[in-house]
Amino acid sequence: MDALNLDQLRDTYGLSPIRRGYQIFEGYTMPESFRHMRKAIEDFKVYDDDIWVTSYPKCGTTWTQEIVWNICNNFDFTSAQIDLDIRFPFLEYETCFYTEDKNLLQYEPGIVHKSVEIAANKSRPRFIKTHLPWELLPMEIQSFKKRPKIIHVARNPKDVCVSYFHHNRLMEGFTGDFNLFWKLFYNNKLNYTPMLRNVLSYWEHRTDGVLFIKYEDMKSDISKVITQIAKYLNRPMSEEQLKMLQHHVSFEVMKDNTSTHHAPVLDYLRKCGAVVDNDGCFMRSGKSGGYKSLMNDEVEEIFDKWMEQQLQNTGLVL
Ligand code: A3P
């Protein structure tokens, strides 16, 4: 399938009232609306005491944010009931779900529209989430003029692709099937792709103070990763606090914790007509290796070869 054909198919199955098209920035595919906020993000004022969680979508961002926020806020699980999107704003939210339609904007929960401004005005220390690659971050970070804490979480691309498929049907108005979706993902037609280039852009900076963690390590030993994050953030923690946090961020507890489900945004997206999978849930399956439920052996082989080629000589194993 040629690239032009894929562009057309993406636009047939992937556009909605809040996603009008795509454009390339520094080699990365983004919603075309990113052009409205690119300059504001480039010029975004950064503080050394900021705490940023960065990732390619579906790598365990929400999980990492909930861990980081609680470590930095005295394990105050009562205040943690406030919606995570408010405690830990998503820098470029507006670009993902962009509209100028006043009829739709009336439903906007006060998190999405003007997201760059919202993140900028949070009280310090600020907690900021972004899926942007290093090359699209504020210049003050790229130039090392400011050195906030940056925690990057990565995940196996096959699981990411399957998780992103469900996410696109839940939140991004995608009406196609997985057979089309993996081709769009693999051919860099979706938001924030090329995925591995995005991940490697942070991997390359792990010696410049970026903490690089993996979803799979969180699945196999969450207390070890929580301890690693707390140490990186210079936040000592007792055994009891560690145990409490471990419980609080377990999949079972987070599945019932609506403050981490992006519920107000989902409600907005539903009103905008961008929710295709009405029975979907943000906390979906929470497994490593679950991709086999949708990805057949042939596609898996294509992904394995692609990963091997992209990651060779980088030292990164996903
Ligand atoms: P699945 O779709 O595979 O279930 P992000 O926050 O980056 O969008 O990532 C979402 C993915 O992380 C989803 O994966 C979600 O279920 C999983 N996830 C979220 N919280 C989790 C937790 N506490 N434990 C394990 N997986 C979690």
Side-chain angles (χ1 to χ4, degrees), residues 157 194-201 306-307 310-311 316 318:
M195 178 205 166
L196 287 174
R197 187 180 151 202
N198 188 332
V199 173
L200 285 168
S201 75
W306 168 66
M307 285 159 60
Q310 298 285 314
L311 298 179
L316 176 60
L318 286 176

Side-chain angles (χ1 to χ4, degrees), residues 12 18 20 41 65 77-78 83 88 105 120 122 133 141 168 183 194 201 244 248 274 286-287 303:
T12 304
I18 46 170
R20 305 229 175 245
I41 290 179
Q65 286 174 273
F77 301 115
T78 306
D83 197 89
F88 213 128
L105 279 175
K122 286 302 275 188
I141 296 182
N168 269 260
K183 290 181 186 125
S201 75
M244 283 190 316
H248 179 75
K287 295 192 180 102
F303 267 67

Side-chain angles (χ1 to χ4, degrees), residues 305-316:
K305 279 203 187 117
W306 168 66
M307 285 159 60
E308 195 186 317
Q309 189 192 31
Q310 298 285 314
L311 298 179
Q312 69 179 340
N313 303 324
T314 64
L316 176 60

Side-chain angles (χ1 to χ4, degrees), residues 85-108:
D85 279 332
I86 293 173
R87 289 180 279 135
F88 213 128
F90 177 18
L91 183 66
E92 71 278 11
Y93 230 152
E94 186 176 357
T95 199
C96 294
F97 308 126
Y98 188 81
T99 182
E100 286 168 358
D101 182 338
K102 290 205 168 56
N103 288 328
L104 296 180
L105 279 175
Q106 65 173 314
Y107 303 119
E108 199 277 307

Side-chain angles (χ1 to χ4, degrees), residues 156-159 182 186 196 291-292 295-312 318:
N156 177 281
K158 292 181 278 189
D159 277 330
W182 79 258
Y186 178 81
L196 287 174
Y291 66 89
K292 284 182 190 291
M295 195 179 275
N296 63 31
D297 292 350
E298 198 188 326
V299 179
E300 180 171 3
E301 209 179 303
I302 295 173
F303 267 67
D304 285 343
K305 279 203 187 117
W306 168 66
M307 285 159 60
E308 195 186 317
Q309 189 192 31
Q310 298 285 314
L311 298 179
Q312 69 179 340
L318 286 176

Side-chain angles (χ1 to χ4, degrees), residues 15-188:
L15 298 186
S16 74
I18 46 170
R19 174 67 47 72
R20 305 229 175 245
Y22 294 82
Q23 203 174 310
I24 309 279
F25 297 87
E26 301 292 334
Y28 290 94
T29 300
M30 291 293 292
E32 63 90 29
S33 55
F34 185 64
R35 69 192 155 83
H36 295 299
M37 62 210 72
R38 181 162 185 203
K39 177 95 178 71
I41 290 179
E42 226 170 67
D43 296 345
F44 189 82
K45 193 168 165 41
V46 177
Y47 297 101
D48 285 323
D49 60 2
D50 283 346
I51 296 151
W52 292 58
V53 166
T54 69
S55 61
Y56 186 83
K58 311 322 286 176
C59 287
T61 327
T62 312
W63 195 6
T64 307
Q65 286 174 273
E66 190 62 10
I67 292 169
V68 167
W69 191 90
N70 279 290
I71 288 175
C72 295
N73 286 278
N74 273 326
F75 306 86
D76 179 358
F77 301 115
T78 306
S79 300
Q81 282 169 12
I82 296 168
D83 197 89
L84 182 62
D85 279 332
I86 293 173
R87 289 180 279 135
F88 213 128
F90 177 18
L91 183 66
E92 71 278 11
Y93 230 152
E94 186 176 357
T95 199
C96 294
F97 308 126
Y98 188 81
T99 182
E100 286 168 358
D101 182 338
K102 290 205 168 56
N103 288 328
L104 296 180
L105 279 175
Q106 65 173 314
Y107 303 119
E108 199 277 307
I111 306 166
V112 179
H113 196 61
K114 301 203 163 80
S115 59
V116 179
E117 208 178 301
I118 290 170
N121 293 331
K122 286 302 275 188
S123 60
R124 290 167 60 194
R126 302 180 306 182
F127 298 88
I128 298 174
K129 155 189 163 179
T130 183
H131 293 311
L132 294 172
W134 182 272
E135 298 93 318
L136 294 175
L137 287 179
M139 284 317 295
E140 287 191 334
I141 296 182
Q142 288 193 57
S143 66
F144 301 107
K145 193 171 164 209
K146 292 287 156 62
R147 290 183 174 270
K149 295 288 186 196
I150 300 178
I151 297 152
H152 184 87
V153 58
R155 186 182 189 186
N156 177 281
K158 292 181 278 189
D159 277 330
V160 170
C161 182
V162 169
S163 179
Y164 206 23
F165 168 66
H166 291 287
H167 173 98
N168 269 260
R169 293 181 59 79
L170 181 66
M171 300 184 90
E172 314 246 356
F174 183 74
T175 54
D177 60 12
F178 185 69
N179 193 36
L180 169 62
F181 188 84
W182 79 258
K183 290 181 186 125
L184 294 175
F185 180 85
Y186 178 81
N187 287 287
N188 306 323

